[in-house]
Amino acid sequence: MNYNQKLSFRRKLPAKYIAVITPLILSVLMTLVVSFIATVKNLGLHADLPYNWVTAWALSWVVAFPTLLMVLPVVRRIVSIICDSPTR
């Protein structure tokens, strides 16, 4: 049994949650990367880096997630003006 088959046995959230789960995952991943880069650039590599990084990430995420929830509909509209709709 491959990885995709194992995942297919798990219960999934209903599709109505896509509008919240997408920005949730996006905000976690983006703020992790950006806060790490900013923390290393500003403080350098040292023993306190993990604590400083997680602290910076938590603050970044608290701002980023609600911001994404608010701006994602606007971004989708802008993208629909710029790009053709995919054909099905």
Side-chain angles (χ1 to χ4, degrees):
M1 180 180 304
N2 68 28
Y3 182 72
N4 287 334
Q5 289 171 329
K6 288 180 185 178
L7 286 179
S8 68
F9 289 119
R10 294 184 180 184
R11 292 186 66 173
K12 293 184 178 184
L13 292 172
K16 67 181 181 180
Y17 294 108
I18 289 173
V20 174
I21 298 298
T22 300
L24 174 71
I25 293 170
L26 181 62
S27 66
V28 167
L29 295 176
M30 288 301 299
T31 55
L32 274 171
V33 171
V34 172
S35 64
F36 178 75
I37 292 167
T39 303
V40 170
K41 181 186 178 299
N42 289 318
L43 303 178
L45 296 172
H46 58 80
D48 290 337
L49 178 64
Y51 172 78
N52 289 315
W53 175 29
V54 169
T55 304
W57 168 77
L59 179 60
S60 300
W61 183 79
V62 166
V63 173
F65 181 55
T67 301
L68 273 172
L69 288 175
M70 290 185 295
V71 302
L72 200 53
V74 174
V75 170
R76 286 185 178 132
R77 278 189 226 118
I78 293 169
V79 170
S80 71
I81 292 169
I82 297 170
C83 298
D84 280 333
S85 296
T87 57
R88 294 185 182 216

